[in-house]
Amino acid sequence: MTKRTAPATKTAARARVGELHEQITQANYQYYVLDDPQTSDAQYDRLLNELKAIEATYPDLVTPDSPTQRVGVTPVGQLTPVVHSTPMLSLDNAFNDEDLNNFDRRVRERLEGVESVEYAAEPKLDGLAVSFRYEGGRLVQAATRGDGLRGEDVTHNVRTIKAVPMQLRGKPPELLEVRGEVFMTIAGFKAMNAQALERGEKTFVNPRNTAAGSIRQLDPRQTANKPLDVFFYSVGEVKGWKLPAKHSEALEQLRAWGLKVSPLVEVVQGASGCLAYYQRMGEKRPKLAYEIDGVVFKVNSYAQQRELGFVSRAPRWAIAHKFPAHEENTVVKDVEFQVGRTGALTPVARLEPVFVGGVTVSNATLHNMDEVERKDVRIGDTVVLRRAGDVIPEIVKVIVERRPEGAKKIKLPTKCPVCKSDVEKVADEAVARCTGGLFCPAQRKESLRHFASRRAMDIEGLGTKLIDQLVDGEQVHTPADLFKLTVAQLAELDRMGEKSAAKLVEAMQASKKTTLSRFLYALGIRDVGEATAAALASHFGQLGPLIEASEEAIQEVADVGPVVAAHVHHFFQQKHNREVIEALREQGVDWPAQKKRAEASSGALAGKTFVITGTLDSMSRDEAGDRITALGGKVSGSVSKKTSYVIVGAEPGSKLQKAQELGVEVLDEKGFLQLLG
DNA sequence: GATCCTCGAGTTCT
DNA sequence: CTCGAGGATC
């Protein structure tokens, strides 16, 4: 039987409580500090429940450092200020190699006679700096950094962080103040947000803010269920311990006392050693379980640190070398509306240019008006801009506290900004559209661009700039006009010589030989993308029957319902569209007869669905897709449980994770090539 | 009618 | 890549 009930005598109970404290603390240490669990979850729960049961029977056996007290019980009224006994320093920043070389040179100049300096290097975590006071090995106080001189008492919350020991191991000194960074893992952050979303609560912006917010909670019960973690990185006030000669040695001792130190700490030599470490961490950065915003270098010898001293509140012996940030603040200068090929009006924020994630960003899409209202972005607002893992900049949120007096709300225009036609917004739909159709130059330009694009007609060399000129100069109205352009005409245009013009004409000639599926896609029929175009092509086999088909007949096609069928039917009913198609055919646009579906659906990979993520070595993703289709397989963009295989190349995206969650079979490039035969 | 699966459309910068 | 919405399925 389990020992849920308390021992009969108090003496027995006291002895058992001692044992349980020890066992639970040991299990916590192995799990949270060493990251090497030796106790099963069930076993751990049994120990904790037994302790709770005894404490319920004998309340005076509850001590402040009991593992049960970690859960956090009573909220505090407000956070109490704490004066740091030794100030918590801020660090100078280096933003490039030159800054770092200068730092190393200054250090060497001040330390006369030292040729090469030894540095302790460690990742700089994106979290919250906290000071921890241990007296006689027992945690008595934890305080935030605050302004460096005064912080706030957050002991009640810090007790709930399992990686922070309540009691140090071995023989700790009389007094030990250590500094560490409290942070949240990315996975923990995501899981937390997913839960919040499920419960309909508001989500958090990033792990850093969430960690900072959690630690400054008044109610420790709110902190207890947050996945917080900690790394210790320096020593403050000490009594009863003679510091070793080097910082790296001090960190070793912290480890021995059961304080979690980053496993990535290294000792490096000179500026070149620092830069190599920076490089290595930069490569590791995307694979780490937590966010880091740079690395920190500290002169390793304490004697040298003392010799170097401080400038105001920053030490001369340490520097933070920052990575390009994933997130930055910037100001929304204006919001303009772009018109897409279907007439969709997209609000785009024009931003004060800002360097984020390695590039300068000056535009960010706001998708649609629903999004604008949800985020309540106004012109003049300061916003948080993200470019996480992803490439596309995203406005995460508005910093409302920094909204200026005259911040202007964003209004959907009633007329198209390009052609002045009415703007139409169907209720319950997110997008608003310009009703100008092909009369609108913006829509005409965008449809021509789509027509020429790689996955459609694939006219190499016909880009935005050229199309703008051709449309503005009224030389091209429909796609068919493109093929009528002469070398002489093209050579007239800006940035075009005889040679490029000849090349472009040649490219257009080559593009005339195409496939029915590409051609249908190029026409830009609403709701007909690549997949639907391919389905239509293989169902009808030729263009003629499709043009004449009734709505009902079109609905026969797999994955085509009433809405899409109506769009397709309507498109071919338009006299203008028929004329354009006719003209294109006359210009020599042609394709081989298409195999009907029945014939295409045999092959080695028939009935299998593939999703590709990451970069493949031996071929592009498009090629891989073509090979799969050629063997009768299907390629899809998103992973579901109907997916047969997920093919993973180098640097895969979130699809790999999804595949693992759903238990979908994952193939590496080698396995994929084998499957292809 | 609800839910899941896909597809389409739009977007950034070098 | 992400969001929104059409289509299929139960």
Side-chain angles (χ1 to χ4, degrees):
Chain A
M1 279 301 290
T2 51
K3 294 193 193 173
R4 281 291 174 76
T5 46
T9 71
K10 192 152 179 188
T11 327
R14 178 167 290 131
R16 184 64 189 147
V17 164
E19 282 170 30
L20 288 168
H21 276 199
E22 200 169 298
Q23 285 174 24
I24 294 170
T25 308
Q26 178 67 15
N28 277 342
Y29 174 69
Q30 282 159 342
Y31 188 97
Y32 293 103
V33 181
L34 301 183
D35 205 11
D36 178 25
Q38 301 285 332
T39 312
S40 77
D41 289 353
Q43 213 175 340
Y44 181 86
D45 288 343
R46 267 202 300 283
L47 294 172
L48 202 62
N49 284 333
E50 187 188 343
L51 181 59
K52 278 184 193 160
I54 301 178
E55 287 181 345
T57 317
Y58 304 103
D60 54 328
L61 290 183
V62 181
T63 57
D65 61 345
S66 163
T68 59
Q69 297 307 297
R70 280 190 183 273
V71 218
V73 254
T74 38
V76 294
Q78 63 178 76
L79 299 178
T80 330
V82 172
V83 176
H84 296 299
S85 52
T86 49
M88 287 181 80
L89 309 163
S90 53
L91 291 179
D92 260 351
N93 289 314
F95 292 100
N96 52 47
D97 293 5
E98 197 191 340
D99 291 350
L100 191 100
N101 280 317
N102 287 339
F103 163 77
D104 176 62
R105 186 174 39 75
R106 284 197 305 271
V107 167
R108 277 181 290 122
E109 279 167 7
R110 286 200 164 252
L111 299 172
E112 282 170 35
V114 179
E115 295 225 329
S116 167
V117 182
E118 184 178 280
Y119 294 98
E122 64 193 61
K124 184 177 189 312
L125 270 80
D126 208 3
L128 185 75
V130 173
S131 145
F132 307 79
R133 242 180 129 77
Y134 286 90
E135 285 177 13
R138 183 178 280 193
L139 178 69
V140 293
Q141 190 176 60
T144 61
R145 178 175 177 281
D147 62 3
L149 299 175
R150 285 154 55 95
E152 288 171 319
D153 189 326
V154 289
T155 318
H156 59 295
N157 288 328
V158 164
R159 281 183 187 283
T160 68
I161 305 173
K162 304 274 196 332
V164 175
M166 307 271 258
Q167 174 74 45
L168 297 179
R169 308 170 68 81
K171 290 200 184 99
E174 189 185 328
L175 171 69
L176 176 70
E177 189 215 339
V178 282
R179 277 87 192 262
E181 193 83 0
V182 171
F183 63 94
M184 189 173 278
T185 60
I186 298 166
F189 169 74
K190 282 190 179 152
M192 220 185 71
N193 255 355
Q195 278 176 20
L197 208 62
E198 234 167 63
R199 286 197 297 261
E201 294 166 8
K202 63 173 184 183
T203 54
F204 301 85
V205 178
N206 59 32
R208 205 212 91 83
N209 291 356
T210 317
S214 311
I215 220 67
R216 298 190 63 252
Q217 283 282 338
L218 295 176
D219 184 352
R221 281 168 298 195
Q222 294 299 315
T223 315
N225 54 25
K226 304 274 188 318
L228 293 172
D229 205 337
V230 69
F231 279 132
F232 296 92
Y233 57 76
S234 83
V235 177
E237 196 187 1
V238 180
K239 265 185 213 152
W241 177 34
K242 192 176 170 302
L243 277 178
K246 295 178 175 182
H247 175 67
S248 54
E249 293 163 359
L251 292 181
E252 272 311 310
Q253 181 59 59
L254 294 187
R255 267 200 191 110
W257 283 327
L259 294 164
K260 196 173 169 188
V261 174
S262 167
L264 300 172
V265 174
E266 281 179 34
V267 173
V268 299
Q269 289 296 329
S272 59
C274 290
L275 291 173
Y277 181 83
Y278 175 81
Q279 176 88 26
R280 279 204 300 285
M281 287 304 131
E283 284 158 16
K284 267 213 167 110
R285 186 186 187 194
K287 291 177 205 125
L288 292 177
Y290 41 84
E291 288 191 347
I292 59 178
D293 55 0
V295 292
V296 178
F297 303 113
K298 295 173 188 159
V299 171
N300 202 15
S301 150
Y302 282 132
Q304 289 179 347
Q305 285 188 10
R306 273 192 297 277
E307 202 178 329
L308 288 159
F310 299 83
V311 194
S312 71
R313 222 175 294 159
R316 285 208 190 88
W317 42 263
I319 196 159
H321 194 179
K322 296 273 207 159
F323 292 128
H326 286 316
E327 258 182 33
E328 286 290 350
N329 293 350
T330 187
V331 174
V332 177
K333 289 196 299 189
D334 196 8
V335 171
E336 285 171 16
F337 285 82
Q338 282 179 1
V339 183
R341 116 181 117 84
T342 62
L345 287 178
T346 309
V348 178
R350 307 289 175 212
L351 306 167
E352 196 57 52
V354 62
F355 192 74
V356 52
V359 296
T360 307
V361 172
S362 40
N363 302 306
T365 177
L366 286 161
H367 297 115
N368 54 56
M369 286 309 288
D370 287 359
E371 181 95 350
V372 169
E373 271 149 40
R374 198 162 41 237
K375 289 183 176 159
D376 192 22
V377 178
R378 303 185 193 179
I379 296 166
D381 267 340
T382 299
V383 295
V384 179
L385 190 78
R386 171 164 58 191
R387 213 170 159 260
D390 186 6
V391 198
I392 291 159
E394 179 197 3
I395 289 181
V396 182
K397 66 157 191 174
V398 172
I399 304 175
V400 184
E401 303 84 62
R402 295 188 31 194
R403 173 168 290 163
E405 196 69 19
K408 247 187 28 214
K409 279 207 174 191
I410 294 155
K411 282 225 294 276
L412 182 71
T414 51
K415 304 281 181 198
C416 168
V418 179
C419 73
K420 310 292 175 222
S421 300
D422 284 342
V423 167
E424 178 187 62
K425 176 149 183 332
V426 179
D428 293 346
E429 267 188 22
V431 292
R433 291 195 148 86
C434 157
T435 54
L438 289 180
F439 163 77
C440 176
Q443 292 192 44
R444 211 153 58 223
K445 284 174 184 170
E446 289 303 311
S447 14
L448 284 166
R449 218 149 64 119
H450 171 78
F451 181 83
S453 68
R454 197 170 45 85
R455 316 193 71 112
M457 296 298 284
D458 192 18
I459 306 178
E460 227 183 296
L462 186 62
T464 318
K465 290 273 155 60
L466 279 174
I467 291 176
D468 283 358
Q469 290 184 59
L470 291 167
V471 172
D472 292 340
E474 306 247 328
Q475 296 170 66
V476 170
H477 297 92
T478 74
D481 297 340
L482 286 173
F483 295 111
K484 293 178 194 152
L485 292 167
T486 62
V487 175
Q489 253 179 311
L490 284 167
E492 295 284 296
L493 300 170
D494 277 358
R495 321 212 69 225
M496 278 296 269
E498 193 90 359
K499 245 187 173 163
S500 336
K503 222 172 135 191
L504 180 55
V505 170
E506 204 173 300
M508 288 197 281
Q509 287 303 325
S511 75
K512 286 179 185 171
K513 280 190 81 68
T514 182
T515 64
L516 177 56
S517 152
R518 272 170 175 274
F519 181 74
L520 288 174
Y521 174 60
L523 291 176
I525 305 166
R526 184 90 91 75
D527 280 342
V528 177
E530 274 189 290
T532 311
L536 288 169
S538 68
H539 185 268
F540 286 96
Q542 256 310 336
L543 186 60
L546 173 57
I547 291 180
E548 300 306 330
S550 66
E551 265 187 64
E552 291 73 26
I554 298 172
Q555 274 198 62
E556 294 292 307
V557 179
D559 295 329
V560 172
V563 176
V564 176
H567 281 145
V568 174
H569 183 72
H570 179 247
F571 181 91
F572 289 117
Q573 287 309 111
Q574 302 280 110
K575 192 161 157 258
H576 168 79
N577 292 331
R578 285 178 177 241
E579 282 166 8
V580 170
I581 292 168
E582 186 72 13
L584 284 167
R585 300 288 279 166
E586 271 168 27
Q587 293 293 326
V589 174
D590 199 16
W591 49 84
Q594 173 99 28
K595 278 184 197 162
K596 288 250 192 165
R597 166 157 290 203
E599 299 163 62
S601 73
S602 60
L605 303 181
K608 302 281 188 208
T609 309
F610 293 76
V611 174
I612 311 171
T613 178
T615 319
L616 300 176
D617 282 334
S618 55
M619 62 183 99
S620 73
R621 272 187 356 198
D622 282 352
E623 268 178 85
D626 288 345
R627 304 268 303 259
I628 292 167
T629 328
L631 292 171
K634 249 184 78 179
V635 182
S636 163
S638 50
V639 183
S640 73
K641 53 187 174 191
K642 288 192 183 164
T643 310
S644 323
Y645 300 100
V646 172
I647 300 160
V648 178
E651 290 174 53
S654 58
K655 288 171 197 161
L656 173 58
Q657 203 188 336
K658 185 107 185 250
Q660 285 161 347
E661 273 168 35
L662 296 175
V664 172
E665 189 164 344
V666 173
L667 280 182
D668 60 8
E669 186 160 359
K670 222 170 100 195
F672 172 54
L673 290 173
Q674 272 171 10
L675 199 69
L676 288 178

